[in-house]
Amino acid sequence: MLVLLLTGWSAAYGEDGSRLWLRLEAAHNTATITGVKGTAMTELQTYWQGGPVVLKRQKGIARDGYTIKSQGGKIVIAAANDAGLLYGAYHLLRLQQCTTQNAQSIKDLDIKEQPAYDLRILNHWDNPNGTVERGFAGRSIFLNPDPERMKMYGRANASIGINGTVLNNVNAKPEALSSESLQKAKSIADQLRPYGIRVYLSINFASPIKVGGLKTADPLNPDVIHWWKDKVNEIYKLIPDFGGFLVKANSEGEPGPQDFGRTHADGANMLAKALQPHKGIVMWRAFVYAPQSPDRANQAYLEFMPLDGQFADNVIIQIKNGPVDFQPREPYSPLFTAMQKTPMMVEFQITQEYLGAANHLVYLAPMWKEFFSFVKPASLRAMAGVANIGDDTNWCGHHFAQANWYAFGRLAWNPELTSKEIAEEWLKLTFSTLDTLNSQLLSVMLDSREACVSYMMPLGIHHIFAGSHHYGPEPWYNPRGVRADWTPPYYHRADSVGLGFDRTMQGSGNVRQYPDELCRLYNDINTCPENLLAWFHHVPWDHRMKSGRTFWDELCHKYDDGVHEARHFLAVWDAMQPYVDSQRFDEVQHKLRIQARDAEWWRDACLLYFQTFSHRPIPQDMEHPVHNLNEMMQFRIPITMYENPEYGYNK
Ligand code: GCW
């Protein structure tokens, strides 16, 4: 009965995902919130259903941090700045949403929080024409910023502690700095400021030529230096709290200082100097690789290590978590432990470019926690995440992809939180009616990343995606004339001996970029963790695995396990039908069916293709491929890099 009531109620409310994890009921509690006026107060007045709350400013609390204490029948939120008060307010609202009792019962509070990083920042890969590179949730929310949507975006981010947003794609069009674009950025900044969010822009390094009409963009040229200084001043006139620039330079065809015989440090420092009087920063990306390199994984280290210590104080080097490119599993990028004298920040990808786009349920916190098990959070200055946000009603394309936005924010606040804690919290906030069954969904979320690795690229295999998109498998993709490092055979190296990229001392030497202990561990095929085996080794098909199976048999089983897990996720969800509002239930079910079929497609395509090299049978004790290799090789998904495929393999 209760269940029916709840389901009926939420369906009537229209649960379309647009309220994200902030599914709060208005309380209109104006009388009991006192103290510092601002967004924190408005939010509590609108949504807090409990007793009196006092908002107060207090010195001695870290920037953006707060305390929440029960004192004499009141709850006191104290912070050094407005943002801290806002984060405290959202903390309280979260407690209200998570409690099964009345908010009035929330008492005896003694909470103290402060963020691990000052910069907790989203990177939007949004283009001026409204497309979003690797965006799977519709078009850019910044194209015609809708005030209500901007407000919700501000609230959602503030509720998880995100305090910065880069508005445009790192493949930046020069016009990002035109007067018109800057006016737009100003308007967005004005709308987000009440939520403690600063805006940043990606810039095109050749802007002085393309926007300014200069003959060069050489960072040491006085006219160029002057141009940037003026441009920066112009920006700060419009946006006094502008955050700074994000730069992709000399990478994948983007212009950069090397075009003028200068280094990354020359380029970054020139911009940093222009921003410095305004306290702005430069986030300079280390995502660089050249077609002639024998191992793409070596590149960032080779280019940036010689510059360690040469960057200005307000430059942070932004490094992707892995050395190649946001694969379902990579080792951490060795730059993180090698660079000692340069501020660094990690770039995670929240949008699932390589993990099933907005069709697959893949909870990413375990992947990010894995990174932090190698790279100490304290060794970093900041955290950036490539956003998975678009103008879809539910913001992220998949209801469960909201959990990744949520987890990113929570981890940027506190990287010590566990994946489980975050998922539990998110589930409670997002599907409150599921309380009793949450443990099963929780397991689905926690197992989902490993399942994805299993059905896509187990045992260290990587980058075997289709040529024209990064959604499905095309380990065979190798057309003439395409850069080798843009084709899967460059990475998997399948032949009659085995599979995998030899990055040992005898191979590309990539293991040397890691600290000694890890270098030894990874270098030896018998000690290398099996989940990275084909990342570091060309593994013979008959190599004996810890399970006792040969590598080939293990590979087959891993793929098949992934398929079974994906099917299990669907079965768990199907059982949730009575407890979830109908729209979200149907939409998630639809996606999980796609995921289960895609998992089969991945398994069959990869195993049948690799079998043409291994010449070994698929083990009898597992399910055998149901698709035909030739058909899969003919299959195309006609999408651009700005779209989520409607279906996966549908032949
Ligand atoms: O992951 C790859 C993507 C590109 C992206 C690039 C980058 C913005 O395939 O679409 O470009 O990395 O991170 O710069």
Side-chain angles (χ1 to χ4, degrees):
M1 175 65 185
L2 180 67
V3 162
L4 274 179
L5 268 177
L6 286 172
T7 333
W9 170 82
S10 49
Y13 203 97
E15 290 273 356
D16 56 10
S18 59
R19 294 187 298 165
L20 295 159
W21 49 87
L22 290 174
R23 298 158 54 253
L24 301 154
E25 299 312 320
H28 307 298
N29 191 355
T30 43
T32 53
I33 319 294
T34 53
V36 182
K37 295 196 170 49
T39 317
M41 180 177 271
T42 330
E43 283 294 284
L44 289 173
Q45 285 177 338
T46 316
Y47 299 110
W48 173 244
Q49 295 166 343
V53 180
V54 183
L55 292 161
K56 100 177 186 201
R57 234 180 245 123
Q58 191 175 305
K59 289 212 178 88
I61 299 179
R63 179 173 150 190
D64 293 0
Y66 55 86
T67 59
I68 309 178
K69 291 190 176 142
S70 303
Q71 276 170 8
K74 294 184 173 165
I75 294 173
V76 180
I77 304 181
N81 59 357
D82 285 355
L85 290 175
L86 189 58
Y87 300 140
Y90 282 117
H91 190 136
L92 197 57
L93 292 171
R94 189 156 65 227
L95 292 179
Q96 167 177 293
Q97 263 186 289
C98 286
T99 179
T100 45
Q101 293 154 17
N102 192 303
Q104 300 281 353
S105 68
I106 297 177
K107 50 180 184 242
D108 301 330
L109 296 176
D110 188 8
I111 295 164
K112 190 168 187 236
E113 285 275 337
Q114 74 179 69
Y117 302 116
D118 283 348
L119 291 174
R120 309 171 294 276
I121 187 166
L122 287 180
N123 289 184
H124 285 262
W125 284 358
D126 296 18
N127 296 315
N129 66 3
T131 54
V132 180
E133 182 150 350
R134 314 301 176 184
F136 310 111
R139 290 166 65 77
S140 169
I141 55 168
F142 301 129
L143 182 60
N144 298 304
D146 164 53
E148 277 311 303
R149 193 99 175 153
M150 281 301 108
K151 184 173 166 190
M152 186 64 197
Y153 175 82
R155 294 179 62 223
N157 281 320
S159 75
I160 49 176
I162 289 172
N163 69 350
T165 181
V166 182
L167 301 178
N168 61 322
N169 192 351
V170 286
N171 291 332
K173 301 271 184 284
E175 61 258 36
L177 293 178
S178 70
S179 305
E180 198 193 341
S181 306
L182 293 181
Q183 281 298 338
K184 195 168 181 187
K186 172 195 163 40
S187 144
I188 296 170
D190 290 344
Q191 295 179 68
L192 298 181
R193 192 169 296 113
Y195 301 95
I197 299 167
R198 284 182 174 206
V199 306
Y200 298 74
L201 290 173
S202 296
I203 57 109
N204 181 299
F205 201 79
S207 300
I209 304 173
K210 296 190 179 150
V211 188
L214 301 188
K215 288 214 170 53
T216 176
D218 178 349
L220 302 191
N221 177 294
D223 292 339
V224 171
I225 295 172
H226 203 254
W227 188 86
W228 279 110
K229 214 171 146 203
D230 283 353
K231 189 46 88 179
V232 165
N233 291 340
E234 181 189 341
I235 297 175
Y236 277 91
K237 276 215 185 79
L238 294 168
I239 312 172
D241 56 354
F242 179 68
F245 294 144
L246 171 63
V247 192
K248 171 174 177 177
N250 294 118
S251 159
E252 297 187 330
E254 294 301 315
Q258 292 173 349
D259 303 346
F260 310 95
R262 313 296 182 192
T263 68
H264 288 290
D266 294 330
N269 293 346
M270 180 274 294
L271 294 173
K273 201 162 176 196
L275 287 156
Q276 195 270 335
H278 309 276
K279 300 198 168 54
I281 60 162
V282 174
M283 294 167 287
W284 191 272
R285 295 174 96 224
F287 178 65
V288 291
Y289 61 102
Q292 57 278 13
S293 161
D295 183 359
R296 172 173 170 179
N298 281 342
Q299 283 273 133
Y301 181 105
L302 294 177
E303 274 191 42
F304 279 84
M305 274 310 285
L307 303 174
D308 191 15
Q310 292 184 26
F311 291 93
D313 288 347
N314 58 334
V315 174
I316 310 180
I317 301 302
Q318 179 165 317
I319 310 166
K320 290 188 182 185
N321 58 292
V324 169
D325 194 7
F326 298 137
Q327 297 302 291
R329 170 165 280 119
E330 292 190 39
Y332 75 91
S333 168
L335 259 185
F336 285 111
T337 41
M339 284 219 289
Q340 299 294 323
K341 293 176 275 185
T342 304
M344 295 175 286
M345 61 193 285
V346 60
E347 177 179 315
F348 291 128
Q349 195 180 41
I350 310 170
T351 188
Q352 291 165 237
E353 175 179 355
Y354 295 103
L355 293 105
N359 285 343
H360 293 201
L361 189 168
V362 184
Y363 173 55
L364 299 174
M367 179 159 90
W368 301 332
K369 290 292 291 184
E370 187 171 295
F371 168 82
F372 281 125
S373 71
F374 290 92
V375 177
K376 285 198 201 75
S379 66
L380 304 179
R381 194 60 77 79
M383 221 168 111
V386 181
N388 62 349
I389 297 162
D391 70 355
D392 273 7
T393 305
N394 70 17
W395 295 85
C396 302
H398 193 309
H399 292 286
F400 276 79
Q402 296 177 356
N404 292 329
W405 177 6
Y406 187 86
F408 170 77
R410 298 292 282 129
L411 283 174
W413 182 273
N414 180 5
E416 305 299 335
L417 289 172
T418 66
S419 303
K420 180 161 174 263
E421 281 165 340
I422 299 170
E424 251 163 4
E425 198 175 272
W426 179 82
L427 275 170
K428 270 194 200 141
L429 299 171
T430 308
F431 293 103
S432 43
T433 52
L434 279 175
D435 251 6
T436 48
L437 292 168
N438 270 346
S439 66
Q440 288 178 55
L441 267 188
L442 187 64
S443 312
V444 166
M445 286 178 74
L446 293 175
D447 295 344
S448 58
R449 184 275 185 135
E450 202 57 49
C452 176
V453 171
S454 297
Y455 62 69
M456 285 187 182
M457 287 169 232
L459 303 175
I461 304 172
H462 51 286
H463 227 317
I464 55 172
F465 294 91
S468 57
H469 54 79
H470 291 154
Y471 183 77
E474 270 182 29
W476 49 80
Y477 175 79
N478 194 14
R480 269 166 176 271
V482 172
R483 262 172 82 154
D485 56 352
W486 286 352
T487 70
Y490 175 92
Y491 300 96
H492 66 63
R493 316 240 156 166
D495 59 18
S496 60
V497 178
L499 180 73
F501 198 127
D502 183 357
R503 296 194 163 102
T504 65
M505 313 262 200
Q506 285 73 45
S508 78
N510 174 257
V511 290
R512 279 198 202 93
Q513 298 185 349
Y514 289 88
D516 288 351
E517 206 180 315
L518 276 180
C519 169
R520 277 196 298 276
L521 192 83
Y522 292 155
N523 190 56
D524 181 347
I525 196 169
N526 295 309
T527 58
C528 181
E530 290 189 342
N531 63 14
L532 289 173
L533 210 55
W535 182 282
F536 286 114
H537 295 268
H538 189 66
V539 191
W541 297 114
D542 288 328
H543 172 76
R544 207 39 79 185
M545 302 293 283
K546 294 201 180 78
S547 63
R549 293 184 181 128
T550 63
F551 175 67
W552 167 251
D553 282 2
E554 185 86 351
L555 189 70
C556 293
H557 276 281
K558 277 278 177 213
Y559 271 111
D560 196 43
D561 290 349
V563 171
H564 283 87
E565 280 195 89
R567 288 182 194 151
H568 170 70
F569 298 163
L570 175 62
V572 170
W573 185 253
D574 282 349
M576 300 290 158
Q577 183 157 23
Y579 312 104
V580 185
D581 42 283
S582 58
Q583 184 176 344
R584 288 192 300 174
F585 177 79
D586 289 346
E587 286 171 358
V588 171
Q589 185 189 51
H590 172 71
K591 300 269 183 184
L592 284 167
R593 286 177 176 164
I594 295 177
Q595 184 171 1
R597 290 196 298 267
D598 281 352
E600 239 178 36
W601 172 34
W602 271 98
R603 176 196 64 192
D604 292 1
C606 297
L607 289 183
L608 291 176
Y609 170 71
F610 289 138
Q611 195 178 30
T612 64
F613 299 92
S614 79
H615 300 296
R616 279 150 178 82
I618 308 271
Q620 275 309 318
D621 57 346
M622 61 170 265
E623 192 178 289
H624 278 222
V626 291
H627 298 105
N628 174 297
L629 182 59
N630 278 331
E631 274 177 17
M632 288 185 287
M633 289 176 80
Q634 301 307 319
F635 180 71
R636 297 277 175 278
I637 299 184
I639 46 162
T640 61
M641 61 165 132
Y642 313 113
E643 289 168 285
N644 189 52
E646 210 177 329
Y647 290 100
Y649 190 67
N650 58 1
K651 255 187 98 141

